[in-house]
Amino acid sequence: MKNYKFLFMGIFSFLIGLQQTTAQDWADLNRFKEANSQLTAPEENENRVVFMGNSITIGWLNARPSFFKGKPYVNRGISGQTTPQMLIRFRQDVIDLQPKVVVILAGTNDIAGNTGPSSLEMIVDNIKGMAELAAANDIKVILSSTLPAYDYPWRPGLKPNEKIPVLNNMIKEYAETNNHIYLDYFSTMADERNGLPKKYAEDEVHPTIEGYKVMEPMVEAAIKSALKEE
């Protein structure tokens, strides 16, 4: 019985320690710490681009590594992240990497409530914060529309098909007012439900290879436009 008591206490202490460690790195600042330290400064005339986002962004690299290979593209997506988490890590994962352009794709996990309730205004404020930090450091900003989603499999009933179009209008208005590029994936990819059809995403949230193939020429056109503005 005594041995079981010690075992229980050991497991309990480990879980508490794990919880504290996770809580201390809420924004996952350590995720790319080593990769960032190994990334050299951009070479002369290098058009470095950082992709900042969530699972849709990192999933892009995993599903379509050929799109990133041989290009000055740096992927800094973290699965499940919300805009406040991205804002916290924006300096180390974007600004310190000295890109010419940042592509921000965010918002859907906020609507899903991944880190707690969030209004559309809160989401836009965080996106504005990232854009302002980038602009202050002479980084051109591409603000992507949030991708369509009819519902979230992991948290149904939140009506993202109604909220995302409103959010995108807010992002677009901010981008146009502040001379940032607005990248409208939504209009091209949405179906009649304001959802993401299965041909582009099997779970109707995370793009398949076919979904990313639609996005790739669009983002490259936006990047080209951003670099022309330098």
Side-chain angles (χ1 to χ4, degrees):
M1 184 69 178
K2 189 179 291 185
N3 289 338
Y4 282 113
K5 181 179 180 181
F6 284 125
L7 178 62
F8 174 78
M9 290 176 64
I11 294 172
F12 181 77
S13 298
F14 171 79
L15 292 174
I16 291 296
L18 183 63
Q19 183 181 26
Q20 290 175 343
T21 300
T22 303
Q24 289 168 358
D25 193 13
W26 180 75
D28 214 347
L29 295 170
N30 282 309
R31 177 66 62 91
F32 294 112
K33 184 177 181 180
E34 183 177 354
N36 289 344
S37 68
Q38 294 176 355
L39 188 65
T40 59
E43 297 180 4
E44 189 176 358
N45 299 321
E46 178 183 330
N47 295 323
R48 179 171 291 176
V49 180
V50 174
F51 288 69
M52 168 59 87
N54 49 43
S55 58
I56 293 170
T57 294
I58 194 62
W60 201 338
L61 177 62
N62 295 332
R64 293 278 293 165
S66 60
F67 175 69
F68 293 86
K69 187 176 181 180
K71 299 173 186 174
Y73 293 171
V74 181
N75 192 301
R76 289 297 179 260
I78 297 181
S79 181
Q81 282 218 324
T82 56
T83 55
Q85 292 173 307
M86 294 179 205
L87 180 57
I88 288 172
R89 66 183 179 90
F90 196 82
R91 180 168 296 278
Q92 70 171 49
D93 285 347
V94 178
I95 294 171
D96 291 350
L97 307 186
Q98 303 175 55
K100 290 186 178 179
V101 179
V102 62
V103 180
I104 300 171
L105 173 54
T108 201
N109 287 329
D110 301 65
I111 292 174
N114 281 19
T115 53
S118 182
S119 68
L120 300 185
E121 289 76 15
M122 291 165 63
I123 300 170
V124 174
D125 282 346
N126 290 325
I127 292 173
K128 288 179 181 179
M130 287 187 272
E132 288 166 1
L133 283 170
N137 287 275
D138 298 320
I139 300 169
K140 295 296 181 181
V141 179
I142 298 173
L143 296 178
S144 309
S145 67
T146 303
L147 263 60
Y150 180 73
D151 208 356
Y152 298 124
W154 66 95
R155 198 172 179 201
L158 294 177
K159 299 182 179 179
N161 63 318
E162 297 178 6
K163 296 174 184 176
I164 289 175
V166 178
L167 173 62
N168 285 337
N169 285 334
M170 295 167 72
I171 295 172
K172 181 180 181 182
E173 181 179 355
Y174 172 76
E176 292 176 347
T177 301
N178 291 273
N179 297 315
H180 301 314
I181 292 174
Y182 177 68
L183 175 52
D184 187 8
Y185 295 125
F186 185 94
S187 296
T188 299
M189 301 180 78
D191 61 19
E192 67 281 356
R193 310 166 304 153
N194 282 339
L196 194 58
K198 288 187 178 294
K199 66 178 179 178
Y200 294 147
E202 290 181 2
D203 67 352
E204 300 189 11
V205 176
H206 300 90
T208 58
I209 289 174
E210 292 306 311
Y212 287 124
K213 284 182 178 179
V214 173
M215 297 165 66
E216 287 168 5
M218 297 177 69
V219 73
E220 293 210 303
I223 291 168
K224 186 176 181 179
S225 295
L227 292 171
K228 281 183 179 179
E229 294 178 2
E230 282 198 316

